[in-house]
Amino acid sequence: MFMRFVLPTVFTFALSTTAFAQGCPEAPDHSASITALLADVQAAESETEAQRLGNQLWEFWADAPDARAQEILDRGMTRRSAYDFLGALSDFDRLIDYCPEYAEGYNQRAFVHYLRRDFAAALRDLNRALELSPQHVAALSGRALSLLGLSRLDEARATLQEALNLNPWLPERYLLDPGGPLAGDAVEL
């Protein structure tokens, strides 16, 4: 009885995995829009204005290559928000398997790793996200925080500065303030 139930389920899963392996379309190229938004953020006259503009970046980063990828991304983000980290990781693994050239899959999986305090795993995913999307300010910021979590302060400081060059209004900027963990006078842990 158990085998009759399991085998069709395993077979169905294998078929759905094969369907995923058929290929993800190329992610939409929003680089020009992202560059323009980042210029607007840099010119913003207030933190409120910069935050509003910065939030618009997520519309581009979270624009998955197709409906299937969008569904997986959205479900993973919902699970992460509900603290279902294992479910979120499963979804982001599926998204990356299906769309290995889509930066946001790596960025979202990195965020879950970061929340689980697995900074090394987060860093691997963030590095890949940044290879695919070099202006991904959230991935840069996450990379700086992951490096901080690994006590790699010089690298964290340099990465955060790189993120701040793109968006000087990031909340993480305070980490560089005197007495902050990434201030130039910070003591290596």
Side-chain angles (χ1 to χ4, degrees):
M1 182 75 153
F2 180 73
M3 288 302 270
R4 279 191 295 182
F5 176 73
V6 170
L7 288 177
T9 303
V10 170
F11 182 70
T12 302
F13 177 75
L15 285 178
S16 69
T17 303
T18 301
F20 269 175
Q22 290 178 1
C24 175
E26 192 172 319
D29 181 7
H30 296 300
S31 56
S33 298
I34 288 170
T35 298
L37 259 177
L38 287 171
D40 291 344
V41 168
Q42 292 165 10
E45 295 184 14
S46 71
E47 188 166 0
T48 302
E49 179 186 2
Q51 186 176 21
R52 181 185 57 77
L53 292 165
N55 287 341
Q56 290 177 26
L57 290 166
W58 286 105
E59 294 174 25
F60 298 116
W61 293 328
D63 183 17
D66 66 9
R68 174 177 268 162
Q70 191 69 56
E71 179 184 330
I72 299 168
L73 175 67
D74 293 344
R75 185 177 57 235
M77 291 172 69
T78 298
R79 285 179 166 177
R80 185 202 63 232
S81 294
Y83 302 98
D84 176 7
F85 297 145
L86 294 179
L89 283 174
S90 175
D91 282 332
F92 297 136
D93 287 345
R94 282 184 76 191
L95 179 58
I96 289 167
D97 286 346
Y98 177 52
C99 298
E101 301 301 311
Y102 177 49
E104 197 56 33
Y106 296 95
N107 184 56
Q108 290 299 321
R109 187 170 72 180
F111 188 26
V112 175
H113 287 309
Y114 179 84
L115 292 171
R116 297 181 74 214
R117 303 187 59 79
D118 186 348
F119 304 122
L123 190 58
R124 282 190 300 274
D125 279 341
L126 291 164
N127 288 340
R128 180 64 178 139
L130 289 164
E131 285 174 20
L132 296 168
S133 181
Q135 292 186 324
H136 199 308
V137 178
L140 273 170
S141 167
R143 185 174 190 280
L145 293 172
S146 296
L147 288 164
L148 176 60
L150 293 168
S151 297
R152 292 166 55 181
L153 300 185
D154 288 339
E155 292 172 88
R157 189 177 302 114
T159 301
L160 183 55
Q161 191 56 61
E162 190 179 343
L164 291 170
N165 290 342
L166 295 172
N167 180 354
W169 296 94
L170 290 173
E172 294 85 359
R173 69 186 183 271
Y174 296 112
L175 297 173
L176 294 170
D177 283 353
L182 295 180
D185 60 355
V187 176
E188 290 282 335
L189 299 175

